[in-house]
Amino acid sequence: MARLGEGPVDWLLTNAVLADVDGHGSLRIEEGWLHVRGERICARGTGRPPADLPHVDAGGAVVTPAFVECHSHLLFAGNRLGDWMRRQGLEPDDPRLGTGGIAATAKATSALDDAQLVATTLARLAPLARSGVGTVEIKTGYGLSAPAELRLARLALEVAERARHDIGLDVVVTFLGLHALPTAPAHERRHIVDDMIGALDELPAGVRTVDAFVDPAGVSAEEARPFLEAARARGFDLRLHVDQFADANGAALAASLGALSADHLDATGPEGIAALAAAGTVGVLTPIATVLSGTRLRPPVMALRDAGVGLAVSADANPGTSPSADLRLAALLAVTELGLRPDEAFAGITLHAARALGLADRGTLEAGARADLVAWPVSHPFELVLSHLPLEPWRPLPD
């Protein structure tokens, strides 16, 4: 099967049930066709398609935009299964059951050589490509020092290039420069922040976004602000982890800096919600981490919805709180555990996830969007978010 952009310049996808959401996040389902030119959808319609063009018959399948995974920590080594066991009241009795939090993952990641780390990450990405995902964000964050984070940025870009060429997956790289700071006097923590500000000038071309974990488990809003302001001044887009374990004014900070997204939101309060709505910042829900973290916190979905905050959904794949990269599972839990409607969950892994990455050209079947299409053997797109039964999607592309 050809890759996107290969094969005929102009072609038609016919006999399809087109399923996406409009610009307001409302579900659209219609029997129709798509006219693709190069890598873009140039027209969509119902009824008789244009004649005299090569076509691919979807066989009546539901065709959606490829899913967008807008928040992942897939670039790491080791595991933290022992940490998870302790949250369940169990004591790990095997050293192969990793413990020690983010610092332990950073240590394991630094011990793995470049080639092994790239290969390990690509192996994690390949199943995503087979499961209907077309775009994945990958963060650094397991370096914890400026030189180590710069190494991870370089390797993430290598992963992105290999993923695009080898498995047809688009990877967006985010520099998570402030993931955690050691317990130390304030002046020592500020020295680390200053080092990360300096690292911004050394980031390789191709890194588009910058992130910080604003939470009691990460860094304070006051510590993160100078780093994030420096990143914004250098032209980077911002995406923030915020308020996962307590309201740390992270959502308000994200909104004040014009961040693309504020992720987690488990403990965000009314002021943060109002700020996100006013700024148009996307809220990213991470339901697997929310459920597995061991707290009783739940993001205020009803208040976010009522305020008009667009909500994306992510699996938040990481070795600590969300050891899964299954985006359909995340969507299912977003409905059953967090209270999203099925249409909101579907929008959350397509259009709103793309918006969380600042990508206006995907997550939709509108004319002008990337023709990153997935055909599903289902009768309704809700089967993609309300069921977790195995599916074998396929990419409708001309030979």
Side-chain angles (χ1 to χ4, degrees):
M1 184 72 72
R3 293 193 184 280
L4 180 62
E6 298 177 351
V9 173
D10 278 272
W11 59 278
L12 293 171
L13 177 68
T14 60
N15 192 20
V17 178
L18 306 177
D20 68 343
V21 293
D22 64 19
H24 301 290
S26 298
L27 183 67
R28 296 185 293 192
I29 306 174
E30 61 183 9
E31 297 181 5
W33 50 265
L34 296 174
H35 179 185
V36 177
R37 177 172 295 141
E39 296 186 356
R40 302 284 168 179
I41 299 169
C42 64
R44 64 180 286 171
T46 58
R48 184 182 298 275
D52 301 326
L53 286 175
H55 71 276
V56 173
D57 189 328
V62 170
V63 174
T64 71
F67 295 158
V68 177
E69 173 50 273
C70 62
H71 179 129
S72 89
H73 301 262
L74 288 166
L75 187 67
F76 71 90
N79 71 76
R80 301 223 299 275
L81 299 176
D83 285 344
W84 185 89
M85 291 177 65
R86 284 175 175 166
R87 289 197 296 273
Q88 311 310 310
L90 305 171
E91 187 59 32
D93 58 1
D94 188 320
R96 291 170 293 189
L97 298 171
T99 60
I102 291 172
T105 300
K107 182 177 180 180
T109 302
S110 68
L112 205 62
D113 70 36
D114 291 1
Q116 289 176 306
L117 192 54
V118 168
T120 298
T121 307
L122 286 168
R124 293 175 180 138
L125 286 172
L128 274 68
R130 295 192 295 268
S131 66
V133 176
T135 300
V136 180
E137 185 248 26
I138 290 182
K139 302 178 189 295
T140 73
Y142 293 120
L144 305 186
S145 70
E149 294 295 349
L150 288 169
R151 173 207 177 215
L152 294 182
R154 175 176 56 80
L155 294 181
L157 289 172
E158 183 177 341
V159 167
E161 180 61 29
R162 293 269 301 274
R164 190 174 299 111
H165 181 268
D166 295 347
I167 57 180
L169 198 62
D170 199 19
V171 173
V172 175
V173 175
T174 294
F175 182 67
L176 176 52
L178 293 181
H179 197 181
L181 293 177
T183 301
H187 72 276
E188 293 183 17
R189 292 167 66 93
R190 179 54 197 261
H191 180 70
I192 296 173
V193 174
D194 289 342
D195 283 348
M196 289 300 179
I197 292 174
L200 295 172
D201 293 321
E202 301 180 48
L203 282 173
V207 178
R208 302 166 39 171
T209 51
V210 167
D211 195 349
F213 182 22
V214 183
D215 186 270
V219 300
S220 70
E222 292 74 21
E223 289 171 323
R225 180 177 285 278
F227 169 71
L228 296 168
E229 288 179 339
R232 185 178 63 171
R234 288 161 171 79
F236 292 102
D237 289 325
L238 303 180
R239 307 188 62 241
L240 276 67
H241 295 57
V242 304
D243 307 341
Q244 183 176 10
F245 299 108
D247 189 346
N249 296 316
L253 176 64
S256 73
L257 294 172
L260 294 173
S261 74
D263 304 16
H264 292 303
L265 305 174
D266 292 12
T268 297
E271 290 184 4
I273 294 170
L276 294 177
T281 298
V282 176
V284 178
L285 306 179
T286 56
I288 301 175
T290 296
V291 171
L292 295 185
S293 64
T295 75
R296 295 184 179 275
L297 293 170
R298 294 294 185 268
V301 166
M302 186 177 296
L304 289 161
R305 177 193 293 132
D306 290 346
V309 177
L311 296 175
V313 175
S314 167
D316 182 21
N318 73 80
T321 57
S322 185
S324 172
D326 192 326
L327 198 51
R328 285 182 57 216
L329 174 61
L332 174 62
L333 291 176
V335 174
T336 60
E337 298 295 324
L338 304 191
L340 285 194
R341 299 189 306 264
D343 59 311
E344 291 174 320
F346 180 71
I349 58 176
T350 54
L351 182 68
H352 290 317
R355 287 177 171 174
L357 294 177
L359 300 173
D361 67 344
R362 62 200 72 188
T364 175
L365 300 180
E366 287 281 6
R370 279 170 56 89
D372 199 359
L373 312 173
V374 182
W376 300 90
V378 299
S379 59
H380 193 284
F382 282 2
E383 290 185 56
L384 305 178
V385 299
L386 292 181
S387 168
H388 198 242
L389 294 173
L391 294 173
E392 292 188 5
W394 53 284
R395 296 300 181 106
L397 292 168
D399 294 322

